[in-house]
Amino acid sequence: MAYSTNASAPPSGGFRWLQLIIGVVCMAMIANLQYGWTFFVSPMAKAHAWDVASIQVAFSIFVALETWLTPLEGWIVDSLGQRGPRLMVAAGGIFVALGWLINAKATSLEMLYLGAVVSGIGAGGIYATCVGNAVKWFPDRRGLAVGCTAAGFGAGAAVTVIPIQIMIASIGYADTFFWFALGQGGVIFVLAWFLRPPLPGEVPPASAVKVLQSKTSSTPGQMLASPMFWLLYLMFVLVSASGLMVAAQLAIIAKDYGVSQTVLLFGATTLTVAGIIDNVANGSARPFFGWVSDQIGREYTMAIAFTLGGLAYWLLGTAGTTPWTFVICAAIVFFTWGEIFSLFPSTCTDMFGPKYATTNTSLLYTAKGLSAFVVPLANVLKTYSGSWHSVFAVAAIMNFIVVALALFVVRPLRLNASEKKNPVVQAAE
């Protein structure tokens, strides 16, 4: 695997930008499945006398299936050729709608878990397809394109934070599940039919970037045999777990701090303001840090982002107990967490090449599924310690570990591979 750092950027057509926009919108339509979940937890617990930890198992199931099945879904998309993206995303739209319809009718935890299974399968197919399509259409702007696509998933829920809360308060959580299922699933199903991968010669070749980038591609099997992949996987798990703990528990944390219902701005409560700002911060971080990483390198960008993230978790546990400090600290947490979904796919493709990028990045993305099972443990730790401070201290330490690995392990290994002009793994010719 030889590394390239110098070439010229050829012109690009406008059709690929339409493909990117469609992908972003589809990602926005599945954002509530993860980032809007926190607003449904307390109403469900109250209506059915379910304990919060048991309800959050559904969240873990959703995230696990939304991630662990993406390699298979990505392989199906690639195998179907030009039909792949539209068929997978259309099916995904049906599945995410059906999943929330099941949630609306769930009268048992088992039924709620079934809804999580169905919606997780659908969301994973949509996520893998849209990210894979962005990688294929934008070989010359990898970090930015993946960041924009992932931003749809991170920030998409921001515009529906207030409507969801208003609807839950007025018509109940079940009917809110029902109507959002139809609306989100319907938009995805319609847009799916406009998606397709690029034809040969339809996109520019990869242009020079300011980061180390492989000219050759490793197969999924070769990538899985590389210790560098598993190092990236460990780093992804650590950072993803810390962010998911907050994403799933935001409403509960605000309630425990006694600030959730405090009117903060224009009649909106602290939780509402935090929900809007956090989703915007989470989404904007992805293209921003993706672009930054194209300029200064993936590892340096990770070091900056995750150092700030570790400090943000610590501050949320020590100083986030007032309305405005809660909003500010939570926003910084989301801003320094969301970029993992642009940095890690970009780094993976830099290291292992673009040919199998859809499958390879999907394999790395399964780390998010593993990290989801840390979410219920946060409740256990909070109950054992009696406060959220210990949870946030652990999250901060996890981020600082990743900073050290990025600077002192990953970057030296990649530089060494570049200087010796040897592959990080045996590359496919």
Side-chain angles (χ1 to χ4, degrees), residues 94-311:
I94 295 173
F95 270 68
V96 298
L98 182 60
W100 268 32
L101 290 175
I102 293 173
N103 289 349
K105 302 297 182 182
T107 56
S108 67
L109 286 169
E110 290 77 14
M111 194 171 178
L112 188 70
Y113 298 160
L114 175 61
V117 170
V118 175
S119 59
I121 293 171
I126 294 166
Y127 194 106
T129 304
C130 293
V131 171
N133 222 35
V135 170
K136 294 174 183 178
W137 278 103
F138 289 85
D140 53 331
R141 293 171 178 171
R142 181 172 298 153
L144 180 62
V146 175
C148 288
T149 303
F153 189 68
V159 297
T160 55
V161 166
I162 293 177
I164 281 179
Q165 292 185 85
I166 291 175
M167 289 179 68
I168 289 175
S170 60
I171 65 175
Y173 83 85
D175 284 343
T176 303
F177 268 136
F178 178 86
W179 290 111
F180 269 88
L182 296 183
Q184 294 169 166
V187 171
I188 293 168
F189 185 81
V190 171
L191 291 179
W193 303 104
F194 296 93
L195 288 171
R196 69 169 177 84
L199 298 169
E202 196 171 6
V203 297
S207 66
V209 293
K210 300 176 182 178
V211 297
L212 298 174
Q213 191 174 92
S214 174
K215 284 183 175 180
T216 55
S217 296
S218 300
T219 66
Q222 291 169 331
M223 183 188 72
L224 291 173
S226 168
M228 286 293 288
F229 169 78
W230 294 107
L231 179 58
L232 282 180
Y233 199 93
L234 172 63
M235 293 164 66
F236 199 135
V237 168
L238 290 174
V239 182
S240 178
S242 62
L244 287 175
M245 286 191 295
V246 177
Q249 316 279 6
L250 187 66
I252 300 169
I253 296 167
K255 182 179 179 181
D256 288 348
Y257 280 0
V259 299
S260 62
Q261 298 305 313
T262 302
V263 176
L264 195 62
L265 191 65
F266 303 121
T269 65
T270 299
L271 183 59
T272 300
V273 174
I276 295 171
I277 295 176
D278 291 348
N279 281 300
V280 172
N282 187 16
S284 61
R286 303 176 186 208
F288 173 75
F289 282 107
W291 174 81
V292 170
S293 71
D294 285 338
Q295 311 305 312
I296 68 173
R298 315 297 184 203
E299 297 89 354
Y300 289 143
T301 305
M302 288 181 183
I304 294 170
F306 302 147
T307 296
L308 292 175
L311 294 174

Side-chain angles (χ1 to χ4, degrees), residues 1-3 213-218 349-355 423 425-429:
M1 178 174 62
Y3 286 100
Q213 191 174 92
S214 174
K215 284 183 175 180
T216 55
S217 296
S218 300
T349 309
D350 286 346
M351 293 171 61
F352 300 105
K355 184 175 181 180
V425 294
Q426 184 178 354
E429 295 298 336

